[in-house]
């Protein structure tokens, strides 16, 4: 409780000064002697600064792909909660894309709903600890990953099943998917 208050105060001060900074700029009368073009036209809007600082699709996809590999090996080892967790992390990696690539994100969201969502074969296989069903759903999902790559002009990016997981975690720790809260 005590720890949170100063952070909040700091955020308000920071946000407050940014807002004040913005409005000061907007209400200031135009200088009589125009500043150099670089100083006026070259000042990017805050929204553009944030957008450019966030990762684009390629960076996010690296995380998606690694977590997807980890998900497979977690399921295979019987760590079903870790498999469920990795599916969540895949989606976290793509969150910034809502801002940086607004045209790609809806397609990603549709992919998630169909392949990783509550009614997906992967989720059902995880919940039932059914590796046979999981294997099939996993390879169907790989095809759908690649379907999006082809559709968006990246036919040369073809995901294949990894020979091992990425992260050094205990993949054989036994758990239920429901342990991933
Ligand atoms: C919504 C469409 C879409 C879906 C669905 C999608 N991808 Fe991608 N992926 C892309 C695009 C677009 C790129 C190229 C991005 C760029 O660099 O601009 C990409 C690039 C990649 C890359 C190369 C990035 C790198 O840095 O190595 C990998 C690996 C990848 N995707 C894996 C996957 C996997 C695995 C899945 C499925 C679990 C998947 N993708 C699903 C659109 C998609």
């Amino acid at each position: 409780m005590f720890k949170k208050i100063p952070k909040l105060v700091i955020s308000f001060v920071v946000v407050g000064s940014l807002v004040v900074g913005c409005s000061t700029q907007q209400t200031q009368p135009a200088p009589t002697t125009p500043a150099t073009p670089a100083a006026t036209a070259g000042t990017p809007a805050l929204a553009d600064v944030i957008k450019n600082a966030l990762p684009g699709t390629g960076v996010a996809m690296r995380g998606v792909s690694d977590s997807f590999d980890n998900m497979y090996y977690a399921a295979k080892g019987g760590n079903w909660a870790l498999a469920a967790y990795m599916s969540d992390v895949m989606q976290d990696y793509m969150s910034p894309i809502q801002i940086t690539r607004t045209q790609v994100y809806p397609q990603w969201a549709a992919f998630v709903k169909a392949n990783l969502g509550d009614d997906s074969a992967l989720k059902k296989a995880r919940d039932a600890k059914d590796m046979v069903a999981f294997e099939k759903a996993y390879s169907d999902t790989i095809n759908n990953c690649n379907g999006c790559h082809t559709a968006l002009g990246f036919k040369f990016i073809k995901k294949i099943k990894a020979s091992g997981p990425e992260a050094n975690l205990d993949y054989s720790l036994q758990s239920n998917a429901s342990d991933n809260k």
Side-chain angles (χ1 to χ4, degrees):
M1 194 60 190
F2 279 113
K3 277 184 188 162
K4 276 186 183 164
I5 293 168
K7 267 191 199 162
L8 261 180
V9 172
I10 290 165
S11 332
F12 279 126
V13 171
V14 172
V15 172
S17 30
L18 281 176
V19 171
V20 170
C22 287
S23 52
T24 312
Q25 242 176 1
Q26 277 160 12
T27 50
Q28 257 175 6
T32 41
T33 322
T36 57
T40 49
T43 308
L46 184 60
D48 287 336
V49 172
I50 294 171
K51 201 173 160 181
N52 290 333
L54 289 170
T57 317
V59 176
M61 276 291 151
R62 187 94 301 276
V64 165
S65 193
D66 292 349
S67 304
F68 187 62
D69 296 340
N70 295 340
M71 177 174 76
Y72 177 81
Y73 283 96
K76 202 172 179 194
N79 195 342
W80 294 96
L82 184 62
Y85 168 85
M86 289 297 174
S87 173
D88 293 345
V89 173
M90 285 170 69
Q91 296 168 54
D92 289 346
Y93 271 112
M94 283 294 281
S95 287
I97 305 307
Q98 292 171 80
I99 297 170
T100 54
R101 301 289 184 272
T102 45
Q103 72 285 15
V104 171
Y105 196 80
Q107 297 180 58
W108 168 256
F111 167 89
V112 165
K113 192 170 190 292
N115 296 278
L116 307 173
D118 283 350
D119 294 328
S120 67
L122 266 181
K123 161 93 166 57
K124 285 178 182 162
R126 275 201 315 260
D127 290 346
K129 296 182 165 185
D130 181 344
M131 196 55 201
V132 175
F134 188 87
E135 287 273 9
K136 180 174 185 314
Y138 194 81
S139 67
D140 288 347
T141 302
I142 289 186
N143 290 337
N144 295 332
C145 299
N146 291 328
C148 194
H149 295 162
T150 302
L152 296 182
F154 292 90
K155 198 177 165 186
F156 55 89
I157 300 180
K158 189 172 179 204
K159 176 66 184 168
I160 51 173
K161 200 198 272 181
S163 53
E166 273 296 319
N168 298 316
L169 299 169
D170 186 349
Y171 288 88
S172 59
L173 193 155
Q174 300 301 293
S175 68
N176 298 315
S178 59
D179 296 336
N180 174 54
K181 308 276 182 220

